[in-house]
């Protein structure tokens, strides 16, 4: 049986170390890899080893208790959240890793919401219990308070901080103690027996509140049996009603075996999840005999060929098979061939182990593999049987918020630069490449400063190109503060032959929830057929065209509602084109007549600094136009939360280090848009 899992967490919570220990204990590797030594299996890219963080999602496999576990180690930095989302789209379960000292951190919440969006069941692993200040109960309380989940703690630590040596398994009421790299199983220590019984009772009560079968046994008997409790925990994990919480110290090799057991016991297999549904409503169950349906969720475009990572949802894919590539993908690069509706031959199928690959003859429902030889497949496209077409929902892609100008230092490298940027955007759709119409510069846009630094460094390393980079620029937006009513626009054009005639009357007003909510709504209140329905759709299309550049500075317009209230047609000269043109030009005129406001992207910054540096940091945040939203004391440090314009965060890491003698840290996460002051 297969388990397809992701490892999710805030940066530095220990995701990669957890993955390494799981691979080592399962026998997939012969030695433990360490992040600080640059010897981990999943952080194999030189960029990751240089920076000591996970940047690219890496797939690995191992076997445990007769089950094959496909693991994807995902990034923890906010700039690479799109990489996490693409992985979650194809996973059946996840392990959420939390720091036992910090508890739930900002990026923990972000990846948690992504997992909620795709309905991915999770178990929690509270890591680093050997650290000073580690406290399981405090971490669990932060899960309850910040993630709004019902934590079901199934272990009790044996020892605290540097004396942490093992756990009590509350489901089977036994102890697991690690010494000299080996795990020994025994009875619950006498000094912890009373506390373990109390915790077991609390666990039973929590499960009974959420699970009908467990409640029935809880009321009829003195306690819930181990089998019923384990079954209820599996049901609650699958439904998302409860969160099984385990603990340990991955770096010290403590707590990983029971985590692997929990993965097998509580998280679903491909057979346990609902059948995948296509955009037309058709369903495909996880049956190797059903027609093929697979989703491409990652593409590695190298100089020697393209690797397309796919999750097989139904059917069987064999080497040499012909598959149909379906599903339109919005490409960020102009002229990107989506290859929708093309047939392709699968030349090779690879079982992936990070940067190493093993060739296999086939992949069945539930497998995650890489395919060689697909020229037209792109991230988000569907691979299906030619006789049974299907289009699966692609992963979402976030809108870039930061841009830099990129140019080759040598004019002879201009074509190579364009090719390299196109390959970057093909691999990572959250990167966008465009040419500024006014300056002629090539602009590379991404999710943050680090995201763009990594992209540019890949250009330099993989393409041996010397490029220069301009200062980061943020992506502004424009919104309507006070609109106009009854704006009349007539589009009349006669230049020989059939003319163009369209008459529209528009109301423009701010959209509720803007600017943070943003968005665009279009409505029509035209009565009496004065504007036919097909022309109303053309007016809406024209209005959407006009949103591309606003009157303040040519930035995209958001946060408005446009209502078509009246209009007129001509029996011969009216057409879709005429009304689309009228909608575009009419809305532009309406925006020029409206009161507009410039918006800028803002981020929520969480800064952790020593007590004696808090005052200076608060002043610096205020100077950066930050709005302080909260602060709290924690073990000799102060945690400050503020909303700061993204443009003011560039270079903040250096400034913070200088103000705190290198002791301060900070994290960011997108917080939408706010008026530029």
């Amino acid at each position: 049986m297969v388990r397809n899992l992701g490892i999710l967490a805030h940066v530095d919570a220990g995701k990669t170390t957890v993955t390494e220990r799981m691979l080592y204990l399962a026998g997939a590797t012969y030695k433990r890899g360490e992040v600080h030594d640059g010897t981990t299996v999943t952080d194999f890219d030189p960029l990751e080893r240089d920076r000591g963080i996970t940047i690219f999602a890496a797939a690995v496999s191992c076997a445990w208790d007769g089950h094959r576990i496909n693991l994807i180690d995902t990034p923890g930095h906010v700039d690479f959240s799109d990489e996490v989302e693409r992985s979650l789209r194809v996973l059946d379960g996840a392990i959420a890793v939390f720091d036992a000292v910090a508890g739930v951190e900002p990026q923990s919440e972000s990846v948690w919401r992504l997992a909620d969006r795709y309905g991915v069941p999770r178990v929690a692993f509270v890591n680093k219990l050997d650290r000073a200040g580690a406290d399981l109960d405090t971490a669990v309380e932060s899960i309850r308070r910040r993630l709004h989940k019902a934590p079901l703690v199934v272990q009790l630590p044996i020892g605290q901080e540097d004396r942490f040596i093992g756990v009590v398994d509350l489901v089977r009421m036994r102890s697991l103690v690690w010494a000299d790299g080996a795990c020994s199983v025994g009875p619950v220590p006498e000094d912890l027996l009373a506390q373990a019984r109390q915790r077991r009772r609390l666990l039973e009560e929590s499960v009974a509140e959420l699970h009908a079968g467990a409640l029935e046994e809880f009321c009829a008997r003195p306690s819930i049996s181990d089998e019923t409790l384990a079954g209820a925990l599996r049901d609650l994990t699958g439904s998302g009603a409860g969160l099984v919480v385990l603990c340990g110290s991955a770096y010290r090799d403590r707590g990983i075996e029971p985590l692997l057991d929990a993965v097998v016991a509580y998280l679903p297999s491909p057979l346990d999840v609902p059948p995948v549904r296509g955009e037309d409503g058709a369903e495909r169950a996880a049956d190797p005999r059903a027609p093929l349906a697979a989703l491409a969720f990652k593409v590695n475009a190298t100089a020697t060929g393209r690797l397309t990572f796919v999750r097989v949802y139904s059917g069987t894919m064999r080497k040499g098979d012909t598959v149909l590539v379906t599903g339109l993908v919005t490409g960020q690069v102009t002229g990107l061939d989506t290859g929708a509706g093309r047939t392709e031959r699968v030349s090779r199928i690879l079982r992936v182990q990070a940067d190493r690959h093993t060739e296999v003859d086939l992949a069945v429902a539930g497998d995650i593999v890489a395919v060689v030889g697909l020229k037209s497949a792109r991230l988000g496209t569907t691979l299906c049987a030619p006789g049974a077409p299907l289009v699966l929902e692609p992963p979402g892609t976030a809108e870039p918020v930061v841009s830099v100008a990129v140019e080759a230092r040598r004019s002879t490298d201009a074509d190579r630069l364009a090719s390299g940027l196109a390959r970057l955007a093909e691999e990572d759709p959250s990167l966008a490449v465009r040419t500024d119409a006014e300056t002629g510069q090539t602009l590379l846009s991404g999710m943050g400063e680090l995201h763009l630094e990594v992209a540019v460094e890949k250009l330099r390393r993989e393409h041996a190109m010397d490029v220069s980079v301009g200062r980061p620029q943020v992506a502004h937006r424009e919104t309507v503060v006070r609109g106009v009513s009854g704006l009349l626009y007539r589009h009349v054009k006669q230049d020989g032959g059939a003319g163009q005639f369209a008459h529209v009357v528009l109301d423009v007003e701010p959209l509720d929830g803007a600017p943070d909510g943003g968005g665009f709504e279009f409505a029509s209140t035209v009565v009496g057929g004065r504007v036919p329905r097909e022309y109303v759709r053309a007016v809406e299309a024209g209005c959407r065209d006009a949103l591309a550049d606003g009157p303040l500075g040519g930035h995209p317009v958001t946060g408005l509602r446009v209502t078509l209230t009246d209009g007129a047609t001509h029996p011969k000269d009216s057409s879709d084109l005429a009304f689309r043109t009228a909608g575009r030009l009419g809305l532009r005129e309406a925006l020029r007549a409206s009161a507009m406001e410039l918006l800028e992207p803002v981020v929520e910054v969480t800064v952790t600094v020593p007590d004696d540096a808090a005052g200076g940091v608060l002043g610096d945040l205020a100077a950066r136009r930050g709005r302080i939203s909260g602060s709290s004391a924690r073990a000799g440090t102060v945690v400050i939360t503020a909303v700061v314009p993204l443009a003011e965060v560039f270079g903040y890491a250096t400034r913070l280090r200088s103000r705190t003698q290198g002791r301060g840290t900070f994290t960011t996460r997108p917080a939408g848009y706010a008026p530029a002051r």
Side-chain angles (χ1 to χ4, degrees):
M1 192 60 68
V2 176
R3 297 291 189 276
N4 292 315
L5 310 175
I7 312 291
L8 313 174
H10 185 88
V11 64
D12 287 338
K15 299 180 306 302
T16 301
T17 303
V18 169
T19 305
E20 290 295 320
R21 297 307 187 264
M22 293 174 76
L23 293 174
Y24 175 75
L25 290 171
T29 58
Y30 68 93
K31 64 176 292 187
R32 303 172 180 84
E34 302 293 353
V35 174
H36 54 270
D37 292 335
T39 57
T40 58
V41 172
T42 53
D43 287 354
F44 58 86
D45 191 279
L47 288 170
E48 296 175 309
R49 292 183 172 177
D50 288 350
R51 296 175 181 268
I53 61 171
T54 301
I55 296 174
F56 311 107
V60 291
S61 296
C62 62
W64 184 260
D65 194 23
H67 298 74
R68 189 173 77 251
I69 299 176
N70 295 324
L71 280 170
I72 297 183
D73 180 21
T74 64
H77 197 282
V78 65
D79 281 14
F80 308 103
S81 58
D82 246 37
E83 192 88 1
V84 181
E85 181 165 358
R86 291 192 288 272
S87 300
L88 284 171
R89 173 62 181 84
V90 299
L91 295 173
D92 302 322
I95 301 171
V97 181
F98 301 98
D99 189 311
V101 178
V104 176
E105 298 175 88
Q107 186 62 4
S108 306
E109 294 184 63
S110 299
V111 296
W112 190 270
R113 286 195 297 270
L114 289 176
D116 282 341
R117 181 185 306 171
Y118 291 104
V120 177
R122 282 141 279 174
V123 298
F125 181 70
V126 179
N127 192 26
K128 302 187 178 182
L129 273 180
D130 59 318
R131 286 184 58 194
D135 188 278
L136 176 62
D137 292 338
T138 302
V140 169
E141 182 55 34
S142 72
I143 292 173
R144 189 192 313 276
R145 185 179 68 256
R146 301 188 65 171
L147 302 181
H148 309 290
K149 293 296 291 187
L152 305 171
V153 184
V154 297
Q155 293 177 341
L156 172 67
I158 300 177
Q160 292 183 334
E161 299 179 351
D162 59 349
R163 296 187 301 277
F164 169 70
I165 60 171
V167 297
V168 174
D169 179 356
L170 298 177
V171 176
R172 300 184 183 180
M173 290 302 288
R174 60 179 185 171
S175 70
L176 295 92
V177 176
W178 287 268
D180 300 324
C183 176
S184 59
V185 180
V188 179
E190 286 293 332
D191 58 334
L192 290 176
L193 189 56
Q195 186 181 1
R197 287 172 177 167
Q198 181 185 12
R199 295 289 182 107
R200 164 69 184 236
R201 188 64 177 177
L202 290 173
L203 175 62
E204 292 178 358
E205 291 174 358
S206 299
V207 170
E209 289 178 1
L210 301 170
H211 191 275
L215 177 61
E216 183 178 345
E217 186 169 322
F218 184 79
C219 296
R221 300 181 181 179
S223 65
I224 301 176
S225 67
D226 296 354
E227 293 75 16
T228 301
L229 183 59
L233 290 171
R234 179 177 176 81
D235 293 342
L236 294 173
T237 300
S239 66
L243 176 68
V244 172
V245 180
L246 302 98
C247 61
S249 169
Y251 182 67
R252 304 293 181 190
D253 302 309
R254 296 165 188 169
I256 303 302
E257 293 94 330
L259 178 60
L260 283 164
D261 291 337
V263 162
V264 172
Y266 304 133
L267 290 176
S269 74
L271 297 177
D272 299 324
V273 298
V276 67
R277 183 187 296 270
E279 292 186 351
D280 60 353
E283 293 185 346
R284 298 275 176 88
D287 183 355
R289 296 165 296 181
L292 175 67
L295 182 68
F297 68 95
K298 184 178 175 67
V299 174
N300 277 357
T302 66
T304 57
R306 178 183 287 109
L307 276 182
T308 305
F309 291 76
V310 301
R311 159 70 191 267
V312 182
Y313 283 99
S314 70
T316 300
M317 181 191 299
R318 293 179 174 84
K319 185 170 63 172
D321 279 356
T322 298
V323 298
L324 180 67
V325 180
T326 64
L328 289 172
V329 179
T330 302
Q332 299 285 5
V333 182
T334 303
L336 181 63
D337 181 10
T338 58
R342 292 188 177 185
T343 56
E344 292 265 16
R345 182 178 179 274
V346 177
S347 61
R348 296 166 63 201
I349 301 174
L350 305 177
R351 183 83 61 197
V352 181
Q353 194 75 355
D355 58 339
R356 301 189 304 275
H357 312 118
T358 303
E359 191 163 345
V360 295
D361 292 330
L362 56 83
V364 299
D367 276 341
I368 293 178
V369 294
V371 179
V372 181
L374 302 181
K375 297 179 180 178
S376 59
R378 296 294 185 267
L379 192 150
T381 52
T382 302
L383 311 181
C384 56
L390 188 75
V391 178
L392 301 177
E393 178 188 358
T397 301
E399 188 176 356
V401 295
V402 183
S403 300
V404 292
V406 182
E407 64 179 22
R409 292 188 184 273
R410 295 189 298 270
S411 58
T412 54
D413 286 342
D415 291 341
R416 290 179 58 223
L417 175 62
S419 174
L421 289 173
R423 185 175 295 170
L424 284 178
E426 181 183 344
E427 294 182 348
D428 184 357
S430 60
L431 289 170
V433 182
R434 65 184 177 88
T435 301
D436 189 285
E438 294 183 2
T439 65
Q441 289 181 307
T442 299
L443 300 181
L444 177 64
S445 304
M447 301 304 299
E449 199 173 6
L450 179 59
H451 190 201
L452 294 178
E453 284 180 14
V454 168
V456 171
E457 190 61 28
K458 283 192 71 177
L459 269 179
R460 290 171 174 154
R461 292 193 183 195
E462 296 181 7
H463 300 272
M465 229 183 306
D466 190 9
V467 296
S468 59
V469 181
R471 187 181 185 277
Q473 300 292 323
V474 298
H476 288 87
R477 296 287 184 268
E478 299 177 24
T479 192
V480 175
V481 177
R482 185 178 64 255
V484 295
S485 299
L487 185 133
L488 184 151
Y489 188 84
R490 292 170 62 90
H491 175 63
V492 181
K493 185 177 181 182
Q494 291 289 346
D495 54 0
Q500 294 185 26
F501 178 90
H503 175 173
V504 296
V505 180
L506 302 175
D507 288 352
V508 178
E509 58 184 328
L511 184 63
D512 293 339
D516 292 333
F520 168 74
E521 286 185 5
F522 180 87
S524 172
T525 59
V526 177
V527 295
R530 292 179 60 82
V531 180
R533 185 175 301 175
E534 61 269 22
Y535 293 163
V536 171
R537 290 195 293 267
V539 174
E540 179 180 358
C543 289
R544 292 186 181 276
D545 293 341
L547 299 177
D549 51 351
L552 295 181
H555 308 292
V557 182
T558 187
L560 74 159
R561 179 186 291 108
V562 178
T563 305
L564 176 65
T565 60
D566 200 1
T569 62
H570 187 278
K572 292 184 178 180
D573 294 343
S574 291
S575 63
D576 282 353
L577 176 61
F579 272 91
R580 182 165 185 162
T581 303
R584 182 180 75 254
L585 299 179
L587 181 55
R588 285 181 178 174
E589 187 172 313
L591 292 175
R592 287 193 292 270
S594 302
M596 303 292 293
E597 186 172 49
L598 186 66
L599 304 177
E600 62 180 345
V602 295
V603 293
E604 183 183 88
V605 179
T606 302
V607 189
T608 303
V609 296
D611 290 335
D612 56 359
V617 170
L618 285 168
D620 187 48
L621 288 172
R624 293 173 182 269
R625 298 185 288 139
R627 290 183 290 107
I628 308 300
S629 56
S631 64
S632 60
R634 180 194 298 167
T637 61
V638 176
V639 181
I640 303 167
T641 306
V643 177
V644 184
L646 178 60
E648 301 288 350
V649 179
F650 298 142
Y652 183 60
T654 303
R655 180 74 170 178
L656 181 64
R657 283 195 293 267
S658 67
R659 282 190 171 274
T660 61
Q661 290 79 48
R663 297 177 293 165
T665 60
F666 80 101
T667 59
T668 64
R669 65 173 178 177
Y673 282 80
R677 303 301 185 194

